């Protein structure tokens, strides 16, 4: 059956049962509303509960399937959405089962985790955050949406906007790092990208900001663990990127598996109902995480499936992902009067409206077109974008005596380490429909880049967890006539992501010893890191003269690494998260408080450690270039200003080296004295400085000067501020100004940076 026929059939059926809008009424929005209300009016309680249920049809589950204890598992024709089915043909088939097999022929929503690309795999989100480039993140999200929607996917569970300051937590790879300002800019951009303002309707994908909230604050960095977060930190840090996503129009919010201060997020009326919906005015869907409603029983806040359903529903969770609690309990909860039917209708309405926004009532199969799928997946355009994104995500951590870039005309180059030839690992975790065989490995990229006369030897050396350390003699033999050794070290692609917490963050297995053997040869060693989290790298930093952090860069890994290694591209990435020296320093982050006893070399009774420095190995914002940038002192438009005035900050940045290059100029602010303690610096701006000499300008206003007072109300307090502008959070390039009057701010502050708000939404 072709889809036009089916659409007509569905339309006819809707007319027959009296649900089609009356012709002659020319307010399309009214017609749409009437259509939804009439549909709700026709539904039984069971059909309504079904719309709020999501069936898991994926092959690999991300959690244990719940013990249903005799509860009937729903059929695809009984539910509102499905997780894990993709492909134009597959989605068409399953959609047919739902539309034709159900009484009211309501189409399904197909959801999938499109996290950093669908078929074309872009850098993992933590890597892409290193580009500090919101427009790039918007473009990769858009490209992912074009591919995924062509494969029948309507709804992604991205962007993941969890802040984390603990790299033991494996899911650090899915987010934008430690800073709420950077994360908010990227969250808003990704939401816009998935939606695609000007995109044809069939290329629009619903987005989900997750995991609301504080999931990244898991104690001990152990996934799914308890979060205990102060009111202030919750507001200033963890909630901020969610607020940005909501302000950018995100379609859905997913609560986390975690509890916050004693309440599991799937039952949190305070944070979901009162904060998200009432205070922020969020009108979209709240979709529970994988069996997260049922897990309220394990959390110990509900003793039965019915009690779990009631708690989650009262917290305004709309959709039960791969659970049976809603479908089996909600009708009884309505009949017994414990839940008013109007509340059920509210949740059902939100699901139906999402389907209507995508045009699924007009044509349930509009996203399932095999010809479009064939044309739009893994194109030269998406590959070029993946290469650009990968180039911009690479961070040059160290480059002693300008060892990099390497010449393409070396006589002999030895590449070492299993990751160099591991195509699967280039994709990282959550790689959508990415195929390893479509990915360029580092080894392949290097081979393609060098001149034909260059000899390349490859020493794989076991697996990263257990690299063989060949006898020194063997290494000496292979490297004796080499110009340089390139060691590709780090984690495999599946060592970060969900349920991938680690207690030690050094190079896994025997890789440090391997590196020792390599440096013992006396040959220059370049380390290329592949990893999904900050690692503790003092030993690497000590031994290797040059280190490139490449994270997991996706389909174009090898090309992008070679572009940077051989200098076709000058690296410009900056760390979106602090690299500790040792696990014992965690949590360590740039926006820390000063304390009453700030770290000091001379005072032994100051905040610090007996056995380790207190500073990070590589600070937030750090990233070198093959050229150098010289900063002049910031020039301020005023020394004194009232709370409602704006301040312009200008700084001249000069490329003082031999090559062209892009610098990410970062602006941090410190309020020197306030009624509550303030971080030693908070990021409040960043901008690219390409080319030779550039004057970079920033505008600061009351949103930037504001803090939360002792009652957590936004306030600008008079007093002095220091503004720092430089190439990392460790910069000392500063100027001071005074805000001469204060005020409480009535309007909700925007979490989206001002310049991003003002740029086109496309
Ligand atoms: C993860 C979510 C994901 C969901 C669906 C869960 O285990 O926590 O981030 O969206 O699975 O795959």
């Amino acid at each position: 059956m072709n889809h036009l026929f089916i659409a007509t059939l569905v339309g006819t059926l809707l007319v027959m049962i009296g649900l089609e809008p009356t012709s002659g009424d020319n307010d399309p929005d009214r017609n749409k509303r009437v259509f939804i209300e009439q549909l709700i009016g026709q539904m039984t309680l069971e059909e309504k509960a079904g719309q709020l249920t999501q069936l898991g049809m994926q092959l690999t589950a991300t959690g244990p399937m719940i013990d249903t204890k005799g509860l009937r598992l729903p059929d695809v024709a009984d539910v509102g959405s499905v997780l894990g089915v993709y492909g134009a043909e597959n989605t068409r088939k399953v959609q047919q089962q739902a539309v034709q097999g159900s009484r009211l022929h309501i189409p399904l929503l197909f959801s999938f985790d499109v996290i950093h690309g669908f078929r074309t795999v872009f850098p993992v989100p933590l890597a892409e955050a290193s580009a500090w480039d919101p427009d790039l993140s918007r473009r990769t999200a858009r490209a992912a949406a074009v591919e995924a929607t062509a494969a029948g996917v309507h709804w992604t569970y991205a962007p993941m906007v969890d802040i984390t300051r603990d790299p033991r937590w494996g899911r650090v790879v899915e987010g934008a790092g430690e800073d709420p300002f950077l994360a908010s800019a990227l969250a808003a951009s990704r939401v816009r990208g998935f939606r695609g303002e000007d995109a044809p309707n069939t290329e629009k994908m619903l987005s989900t900001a997750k995991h609301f909230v504080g999931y990244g604050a898991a104690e001990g960095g152990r996934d799914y663990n308890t979060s205990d977060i102060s009111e202030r930190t919750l507001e200033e840090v963890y909630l901020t990127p969610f607020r940005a996503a909501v302000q950018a129009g995100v379609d859905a919010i997913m609560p986390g598996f975690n509890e916050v201060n004693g309440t599991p997020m799937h039952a949190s009326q305070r944070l979901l109902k009162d904060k998200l919906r009432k205070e922020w005015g969020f009108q979209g869907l709240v979709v529970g995480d994988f069996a997260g409603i049922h897990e309220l029983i394990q959390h110990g806040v509900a003793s039965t499936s019915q009690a779990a359903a009631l708690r989650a529903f009262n917290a305004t969770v709309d959709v039960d992902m791969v659970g049976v609690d809603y479908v089996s309990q909600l009708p009884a909860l309505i009949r017994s009067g414990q839940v008013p039917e109007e509340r059920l209708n509210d949740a059902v309405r939100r699901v139906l409206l999402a389907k209507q926004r995508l045009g699924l009532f007009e044509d349930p199969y509009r996203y399932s077109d095999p010809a479009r799928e064939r044309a739009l997946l893994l194109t030269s355009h998406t590959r070029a974008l993946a290469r650009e994104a990968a180039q911009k995500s690479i961070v040059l951590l160290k480059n002693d005596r300008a060892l990099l870039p390497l010449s393409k005309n070396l006589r002999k180059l030895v590449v070492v380490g299993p990751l160099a030839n591991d195509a699967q690992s280039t994709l990282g975790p959550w790689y959508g429909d990415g195929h390893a065989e479509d990915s360029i490995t580092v080894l392949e990229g290097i081979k393609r880049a060098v001149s034909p006369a260059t000899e390349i030897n490859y020493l794989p050396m076991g697996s990263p967890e257990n690299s063989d350390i060949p006898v020194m003699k063997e290494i000496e033999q292979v490297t004796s006539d080499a110009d340089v050794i390139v060691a590709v070290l780090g984690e495999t692609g599946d060592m970060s992501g969900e349920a991938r917490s680690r207690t030690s963050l050094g190079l896994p297995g025997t890789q440090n010893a391997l590196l020792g053997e390599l440096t013992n040869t006396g040959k220059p060693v370049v380390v290329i890191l592949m990893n999904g989290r900050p690692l503790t790298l003092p030993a690497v930093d000590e031994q290797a003269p040059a280190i490139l952090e490449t994270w997991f860069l996706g389909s174009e890994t090898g090309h992008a690494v070679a572009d940077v290694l051989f200098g076709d591209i000058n690296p410009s990435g900056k760390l979106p998260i602090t690299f500790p020296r040792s696990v014992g320093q965690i949590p360590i982050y740039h926006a820390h408080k000063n304390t009453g006893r700030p770290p000091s070399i001379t005072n032994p009774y100051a905040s610090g450690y007996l056995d380790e420095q207190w500073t990070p190995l590589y600070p937030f914002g750090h990233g070198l270039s093959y050229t150098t940038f010289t900063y002049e002192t910031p020039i301020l438009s005023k020394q004194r200003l009232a709370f409602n005035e704006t301040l312009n900050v200008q700084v001249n940045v000069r490329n003082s080296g031999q090559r062209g290059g892009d610098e990410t100029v970062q602006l941090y602010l410190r309020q020197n004295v306030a009624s509550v303690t303030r971080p030693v610096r908070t990021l409040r701006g960043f901008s690219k400085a390409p080319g030779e000499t550039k004057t970079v300008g920033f505008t600061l206003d009351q949103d930037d000067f504001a803090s939360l007072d002792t009652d957590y109300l936004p306030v600008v307090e008079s007093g002095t501020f220091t503004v720092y502008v430089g190439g990392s959070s460790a910069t000392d390039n500063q100027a001071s100004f005074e805000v001469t009057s204060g005020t409480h701010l009535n309007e909700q502050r925007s979490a989206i940076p001002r310049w991003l708000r003002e740029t086109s939404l496309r």
Side-chain angles (χ1 to χ4, degrees):
M1 252 187 289
N2 79 26
H3 67 270
L4 263 180
F5 174 75
I6 292 171
T8 320
L9 178 70
V10 172
T12 314
L13 289 168
L14 293 175
V15 171
M16 279 164 57
I17 55 177
L19 294 181
E20 269 296 74
T22 46
S23 57
D25 187 335
N26 51 18
D27 173 359
D29 283 344
R30 190 180 163 276
N31 279 357
K32 284 181 176 170
R33 283 196 304 275
V34 168
F35 174 78
I36 296 293
E37 293 315 314
Q38 289 182 338
L39 190 50
I40 293 173
Q42 299 281 319
M43 293 169 78
T44 64
L45 290 179
E46 283 69 21
E47 283 165 342
K48 290 178 185 176
Q51 282 303 307
L52 305 185
T53 297
Q54 182 166 106
L55 193 65
M57 292 181 82
Q58 60 190 14
L59 300 174
T60 50
T62 54
M65 298 309 284
I66 57 176
D67 175 6
T68 52
K69 292 226 171 61
L71 298 173
R72 193 176 70 83
L73 278 172
D75 183 78
V76 68
D78 302 334
V79 299
S81 54
V82 156
L83 166 66
V85 176
Y86 58 86
E89 296 287 2
N90 292 339
T91 50
R92 171 175 290 270
K93 248 184 254 158
V94 176
Q95 189 70 292
Q96 236 156 24
Q97 288 172 32
V99 169
Q100 294 175 359
S102 61
R103 188 176 71 93
L104 295 174
H105 316 286
I106 301 175
L108 291 168
L109 281 175
F110 290 103
S111 68
F112 191 56
D113 292 281
V114 182
I115 307 293
H116 54 110
F118 178 70
R119 180 64 187 274
T120 309
V121 181
F122 298 109
V124 290
L126 188 64
E128 202 181 80
S130 311
W132 292 54
D133 188 340
D135 193 58
L136 177 72
S137 293
R138 182 193 59 79
R139 288 187 288 137
T140 57
R142 181 85 297 268
V146 169
E147 284 194 339
T149 53
V153 176
H154 304 128
W155 182 9
T156 180
Y157 296 135
M160 190 275 216
V161 303
D162 290 315
I163 297 292
T164 188
R165 293 162 165 188
D166 192 335
R168 291 173 295 185
W169 192 55
R171 303 198 79 169
V172 61
V173 67
E174 297 173 48
E178 75 182 37
D179 185 82
F181 186 84
L182 177 61
S184 295
L186 299 181
S189 302
R190 289 187 170 126
V191 167
R192 291 170 178 176
F194 287 131
R195 184 172 58 229
E197 303 297 324
D198 279 353
N201 278 341
T202 46
E203 293 182 2
K204 287 184 184 297
M205 183 158 64
L206 304 178
S207 58
T208 310
K210 68 186 188 185
H211 307 83
F212 191 81
V213 57
Y215 183 35
E219 285 181 355
R222 180 157 60 84
D223 204 5
Y224 316 119
N225 203 10
T226 307
S227 300
D228 205 83
I229 311 174
S230 75
E231 188 74 20
R232 177 167 305 281
T233 305
L234 197 58
E235 285 291 341
E236 290 182 348
V237 178
Y238 292 98
L239 282 167
T240 306
F242 284 98
R243 215 149 47 80
V246 168
Q247 287 166 351
V250 75
D251 299 283
I253 294 282
M254 182 190 292
F257 289 127
N258 57 301
E259 69 161 77
V260 172
N261 307 342
T263 306
M265 282 309 307
H266 283 73
S268 180
Q269 294 202 28
R270 198 174 83 78
L271 290 168
L272 288 173
K273 188 172 153 198
D274 299 342
K275 171 72 64 184
L276 174 71
R277 293 214 191 264
K278 284 201 191 134
E279 192 181 319
W280 296 358
F282 177 67
Q283 301 194 345
L285 287 169
V286 173
V287 53
D289 201 351
F290 203 102
I293 295 177
H294 203 72
E295 286 175 14
L296 293 177
I297 299 174
Q298 293 283 11
H299 274 289
V301 297
S303 50
T304 59
S305 164
Q306 185 166 101
L310 182 61
R311 288 211 61 166
F313 199 75
N314 282 341
T316 73
V317 178
D318 295 315
V319 176
D320 186 0
M321 182 194 289
V322 305
V324 291
D325 301 294
Y326 272 12
V327 76
S328 57
Q329 308 298 345
L330 282 178
L333 286 168
I334 307 285
R335 287 191 181 103
S336 66
Q338 291 177 79
V339 171
E341 188 165 356
E342 202 29 60
R343 280 275 301 103
L344 183 65
N345 292 348
D346 287 344
V348 172
R349 186 177 298 113
R350 287 193 278 267
V351 171
L352 298 179
L353 283 172
K355 296 180 179 188
Q356 191 176 56
R357 272 207 304 285
L358 300 182
L360 297 180
F361 288 109
E362 288 147 36
D363 177 4
Y365 307 101
R366 64 196 314 223
Y367 282 66
S368 305
D369 174 357
R372 211 156 55 84
E373 184 179 37
R374 274 192 301 277
L376 292 178
L377 265 54
L378 203 68
T379 61
S380 54
H381 165 75
T382 59
R383 289 207 83 118
L385 180 59
R387 186 164 178 166
E388 178 195 341
Q391 291 163 345
K392 290 179 170 167
S393 301
I394 294 174
V395 186
L396 178 62
L397 294 177
K398 182 178 175 190
N399 194 20
D400 278 0
R401 294 182 301 283
L403 174 59
L404 294 179
L406 301 177
S407 155
K408 288 183 182 169
N409 298 312
L410 296 173
R411 208 166 20 87
K412 180 171 169 185
L413 197 149
V414 178
V415 180
V416 186
L419 288 168
N421 203 25
D422 179 352
Q424 183 62 45
S425 283
T426 62
L427 305 180
W430 296 111
Y431 46 82
D433 187 32
H435 298 191
E437 64 271 21
D438 295 330
S439 212
I440 312 291
T441 64
V442 173
L443 183 62
E444 206 177 325
I446 290 176
K447 281 185 179 162
R448 289 191 195 185
V450 293
S451 82
T454 305
E455 181 188 341
I456 295 191
N457 274 35
Y458 176 48
L459 292 176
M461 309 279 185
S463 68
E465 295 90 335
N466 195 10
S467 49
D468 308 331
I469 311 170
V471 261
M472 190 62 193
K473 241 184 22 216
E474 198 182 322
I475 291 189
E476 270 171 356
Q477 226 171 27
V478 185
T479 58
S480 61
D481 57 344
D483 299 308
V484 69
I485 299 172
V486 175
V488 185
L489 305 174
E491 302 177 308
T492 50
D494 60 359
M495 286 180 77
S496 55
E498 186 171 350
R500 298 290 186 274
S501 297
R502 293 180 61 197
T503 58
S504 58
L505 296 178
L507 290 174
T510 48
Q511 295 182 84
N512 269 334
L514 171 63
L515 180 60
E517 299 265 3
L518 297 174
T519 50
N520 282 344
T521 62
K523 300 285 176 189
V525 179
V526 176
V527 170
I528 293 181
L529 292 168
M530 288 172 67
N531 46 286
R533 50 155 64 82
L535 297 173
T536 50
L537 299 165
V540 179
D541 186 74
E542 236 164 65
Q543 297 181 77
I547 309 173
L548 279 175
E549 174 57 85
T550 74
W551 314 104
F552 299 118
L553 293 175
S555 310
E556 287 287 321
T557 293
H559 284 145
V561 169
D563 290 339
V564 169
L565 193 64
F566 298 105
D568 290 338
I569 294 289
N570 193 348
S572 59
K574 299 279 187 180
L575 294 178
I577 186 162
T578 303
F579 273 45
R581 294 174 192 275
S582 80
V583 169
Q585 292 179 309
I586 296 169
I588 181 169
Y589 48 92
H590 75 95
H592 61 84
K593 302 292 182 70
N594 201 39
T595 82
R597 295 189 176 193
S600 147
I601 302 170
T602 47
N603 176 8
Y605 288 93
S607 185
Y609 298 102
L610 276 184
D611 58 349
E612 185 53 277
Q613 300 175 54
W614 72 277
T615 53
L617 182 62
Y618 305 122
F620 175 83
H622 169 74
L624 305 174
S625 163
Y626 296 153
T627 185
T628 46
F629 296 95
T630 310
Y631 283 76
E632 290 176 14
T633 307
I635 303 160
L636 309 184
S637 59
K638 304 176 180 117
Q639 296 304 311
R640 292 161 60 81
L641 64 150
F643 72 86
N644 53 357
E645 291 182 83
T646 56
L647 178 74
N648 295 321
V649 180
Q650 290 201 329
V651 64
N652 291 328
V653 184
R654 189 165 53 85
N655 181 341
S656 44
Q658 303 304 315
R659 292 171 172 264
D662 289 349
E663 169 75 329
T664 298
V665 180
Q666 302 156 41
L667 181 147
Y668 299 85
L669 205 56
R670 176 173 185 171
Q671 188 174 5
N672 299 323
V673 179
S675 58
V676 297
T677 60
R678 300 295 298 143
V680 292
R681 47 190 74 181
T682 47
L683 181 70
R684 290 308 304 174
F686 55 91
S687 176
K688 299 282 172 196
E692 293 306 302
T693 300
K694 188 167 177 208
T695 304
V696 180
F698 299 93
T699 305
L700 300 177
D701 65 12
Q702 54 187 29
D703 277 358
D704 303 293
F705 311 141
S707 54
L708 298 178
D709 68 9
T710 46
D711 296 320
Y712 310 108
L713 299 173
V715 64
V716 177
E717 292 179 339
S718 59
T720 61
F721 289 75
T722 306
V723 57
Y724 300 86
V725 185
S728 94
S729 62
T731 180
D732 266 333
N733 187 34
Q734 53 177 282
S736 294
F737 64 95
E738 187 182 346
V739 174
T740 53
S741 58
T743 184
H744 273 99
L745 301 178
N746 297 326
E747 281 179 31
Q748 209 186 92
R749 290 159 73 196
S750 172
I752 306 176
R754 159 205 276 269
W755 47 268
L756 197 58
R757 272 183 343 250
E758 288 167 0
T759 56
S760 145
L761 290 187
R762 276 174 277 130

